Amino acid sequence: MEAVDFSMWGLFARATLTVKLVMIMLIVASGWSWAIIVNKLIAYRKARSEAAVFDQAFWSGEPLDGLFDKIGPQPSGSSEKIFAAGMTEWRRSHRQDGGLIAGATARIDRSMDVAIVKESEDMQRGLSILATVGSTAPFIGLFGTVWGIMNAFIEIAEQQNTNLAVVAPGIAEALLATGLGLLAAIPAVIFYNKLSADSDRIIAGYEGFADEFATILSRQLDS
């Protein structure tokens, strides 16, 4: 009997077209998931670093107008964007005589809320893909396994031979699809939960900053 190649490539090469397509789909999904995971880990780390730097500048005692002039109306950091949105509306709410247009506080709050929503959407973009991969990859792999086992039994019936050497290659090819499904799903689920929690904490920090900033502006309005 010829030696059977049980390597990953050997199993893939012997698989039927349907099982091959399932395996390729799972490999692509796994690579896509890891690309999102790495991108989000870097982005969240950068967001936390930018927020820490901006918080230090914001609470340093420097006048808000001076800080706004320094960062400009279109900054790159998320915390700076929320601050810039509030300060832009604050300046627009002043009349030429120095007075304030009615409803300034509500408009400032809405401006910062809109900025927070935009940053939240950017933070959470791609997480739904991880959730989809985590929930569907095992079933896609199971479909490949069922299809592979079905073809293995058809081959056994055609050869009328139940020898283990005949059965094992087909079963191994089929089970490879399940393995790839789990390989794609497990990291996707783990990092989806982690990244979702990290995103919620970062967004909560933005909302807390917006509330504190709105309180400072409201105090200035009252005085």
Side-chain angles (χ1 to χ4, degrees), residues 54-135:
F54 177 74
D55 284 347
Q56 185 176 3
F58 182 81
W59 296 108
S60 65
E62 181 180 357
L64 297 181
D65 287 322
L67 180 59
F68 179 59
D69 292 335
K70 183 184 298 183
I71 67 174
Q74 294 181 336
S76 58
S78 298
S79 296
E80 294 174 347
K81 289 179 181 178
I82 298 168
F83 170 74
M87 284 299 297
T88 300
E89 187 58 41
W90 164 264
R91 290 187 173 181
R92 288 175 179 172
S93 297
H94 283 80
R95 296 194 299 265
Q96 293 182 351
D97 59 1
L100 280 172
I101 302 173
T105 303
R107 288 194 302 275
I108 292 170
D109 288 340
R110 283 197 299 270
S111 296
M112 290 193 292
D113 288 341
V114 169
I116 291 173
V117 169
K118 290 180 180 179
E119 296 306 311
S120 299
E121 291 175 351
D122 186 62
M123 284 281 176
Q124 296 176 344
R125 187 177 295 115
L127 296 185
S128 60
I129 296 174
L130 293 181
T132 302
V133 172
S135 60

Side-chain angles (χ1 to χ4, degrees), residues 18-19 21-27 29 133 135-149 171-185:
T18 302
V19 179
L21 291 176
V22 168
M23 292 179 183
I24 291 172
M25 187 185 304
L26 292 172
I27 291 171
V133 172
S135 60
T136 60
F139 296 103
I140 296 174
L142 181 61
F143 168 75
T145 296
V146 171
W147 190 273
I149 290 176
I171 300 299
E173 297 159 16
L175 292 176
L176 179 60
T178 297
L180 291 175
L182 295 176
L183 189 65

